[in-house]
Amino acid sequence: MKNAQVMLITGTRKGIGRYLAEYYTKKGFRVIGLSRQPIDYKLDHYEHYCLDVADETKVKQMFFELRHKYDALDVLINNAGVASMNHILLTPASTVTNIFNTNVLGTFIFCREAAKWMKKKSFGRIVNFSSAATPMHLEGEAIYAASKAAIVNLTQVMARELADLSITVNAVGPTPLRTDLTRKVQQDKIDNVIARQAIRRYTEYEDISNVIDFFIRPESRFVTGQVVYLGGVCGY
Amino acid sequence: MQKKNELDIQRQILEIIYRSIDDLGEEVQNLKIEKKPETALLGRSSVLDSLTLVNLIVAVEQAVEDEFGMPITAIANEKAMSQEYSPLRTIGTLSEFITSILIELTEG
């Protein structure tokens, strides 16, 4: 593992994040994962931090420690995200703050700190998480979709600002998955969303890692600022 | 913090900035920047383009973190990047600004 590539994944306690941690450690990456709560699993070549992605001081402290532990950071996957499904008339401002803090502010802080580190090696791959909820303009998901729209724009602007440093920034936009986020949503609503996709089924974890594999491979050095929505959902 | 310590820190920061300029010179061709406190970093008198300035600030930030053994808050906020009264006006004002950040951090 001495020359293994180093990958940082946010939100690895469960769901897609945990799957990605397992998948990329098996592929030979040295993975650093994090979540607010402790994890209940162990993996080889994996280490875990407990922190809130929007806590700038703690995130900076973590990067400071990691920079002294590893020569370089090769890949950042900004997976951590929260959702809240509700009509806007019933959505408190605190929900908006919470969602934007984790989804947008967290993504931004991690991109900034990762890019500072990646620039030393003049190589870096950043993959953010958008959502099909953004181009589909789903009712009941105004704040979640807006936060993911912000990530799209952040991805596109950062791709330009970081291009000269040989760092690519792209995003993947899944359609509904069977996760904790969608378990709380009524089945008929999920069915309606899936019916609007070109390929009418749930996103599987492998669909996401397939897109990430493409974004992070060395040959994808000319691919940046792109958002790939799954299931045939089209962007703007 | 004693005045003497403050001056020592500032001197140390100046050395870090000069080292970072040397390192940057290996990456940026024809980088002609004088290593003295009066050298302008922002504005018309500056010889740095915006990307080179960003690279210099990030390099200084990381070198300060390494040398003082603690993370520091971002040096370049939007206030700092504006030209009037910006702490990034010259190498000297930058070193004073970073010194004040470090003093604030160590005094808690």
Side-chain angles (χ1 to χ4, degrees), chain A residues 60-61 64 67-68 112-113 116-117 119-120 161 164-165, chain B residues 27 51 55 58 61-62 65-66 69-74:
Chain A
K60 281 207 70 135
Q61 179 65 39
F64 178 73
R67 276 201 296 115
H68 290 87
R112 186 190 68 196
E113 293 306 312
K116 284 181 192 172
W117 191 5
K119 75 181 277 299
K120 280 193 169 175
E161 291 196 359
D164 285 342
L165 307 175
Chain B
E27 293 172 29
L51 184 62
N55 280 331
V58 171
E61 183 181 305
Q62 293 196 336
E65 288 183 347
D66 290 344
M70 60 180 159
I72 58 172
T73 46

Side-chain angles (χ1 to χ4, degrees), chain A:
Chain A
M1 288 297 286
K2 206 180 172 192
N3 297 318
Q5 283 198 303
V6 177
M7 173 184 280
L8 185 55
I9 308 173
T10 65
T12 50
R13 189 167 71 86
K14 56 187 179 177
I16 310 167
R18 178 176 175 167
Y19 161 78
L20 292 173
E22 290 168 352
Y23 176 79
Y24 283 109
T25 48
K26 272 187 202 148
K27 281 193 89 165
F29 282 84
R30 175 90 214 178
V31 175
I32 302 131
L34 56 109
S35 59
R36 271 184 284 207
Q37 306 296 325
I39 52 170
D40 59 3
Y41 63 90
K42 275 188 177 171
L43 293 171
D44 288 336
H45 314 301
Y46 176 85
E47 70 173 300
H48 195 85
Y49 279 80
C50 280
L51 54 82
D52 179 348
V53 291
D55 186 333
E56 186 178 29
T57 307
K58 286 193 176 146
V59 173
K60 281 207 70 135
Q61 179 65 39
M62 183 196 72
F63 271 94
F64 178 73
E65 287 170 26
L66 291 174
R67 276 201 296 115
H68 290 87
K69 212 165 176 179
Y70 301 102
D71 290 338
L73 175 66
D74 299 284
V75 182
L76 165 68
I77 301 177
N78 274 311
N79 160 71
V82 289
S84 174
M85 315 297 173
N86 219 341
H87 194 284
I88 60 152
L89 300 182
L90 302 174
T91 302
S94 58
T95 301
V96 182
T97 305
N98 286 341
I99 291 177
F100 270 76
N101 272 349
T102 300
N103 296 2
V104 184
L105 183 59
T107 296
F108 166 73
I109 293 171
F110 271 78
C111 287
R112 186 190 68 196
E113 293 306 312
K116 284 181 192 172
W117 191 5
M118 288 169 169
K119 75 181 277 299
K120 280 193 169 175
K121 197 177 154 188
S122 291
F123 176 87
R125 297 279 184 267
I126 296 175
V127 182
N128 294 328
F129 268 70
S130 183
S131 165
T134 293
M136 291 173 104
H137 309 109
L138 300 177
E139 296 106 334
E141 297 192 21
I143 308 309
Y144 177 71
S147 75
K148 293 298 185 178
I151 288 175
V152 169
N153 223 289
L154 200 57
T155 298
Q156 291 163 340
V157 176
M158 283 194 299
R160 299 179 73 87
E161 291 196 359
L162 300 177
D164 285 342
L165 307 175
S166 303
I167 298 168
T168 66
V169 191
N170 294 287
V172 57
T175 59
L177 285 120
R178 288 188 174 91
T179 66
D180 286 357
L181 289 185
T182 53
R183 210 157 289 140
K184 300 167 198 162
V185 184
Q186 286 170 293
Q187 190 58 47
D188 60 323
K189 287 193 175 168
I190 299 272
D191 292 343
N192 285 339
V193 173
I194 290 175
R196 288 170 60 191
Q197 298 171 195
I199 305 169
R200 294 181 189 90
R201 67 162 170 82
Y202 277 92
T203 293
E204 303 288 344
Y205 290 162
E206 292 77 9
D207 300 318
I208 295 170
S209 54
N210 177 48
V211 174
I212 296 174
D213 280 344
F214 168 69
F215 283 147
I216 69 175
R217 44 193 285 215
E219 295 82 357
S220 295
R221 59 187 165 271
F222 203 48
V223 179
T224 194
Q226 303 304 304
V227 184
V228 172
Y229 293 106
L230 295 169
V233 172
C234 295
Y236 298 104

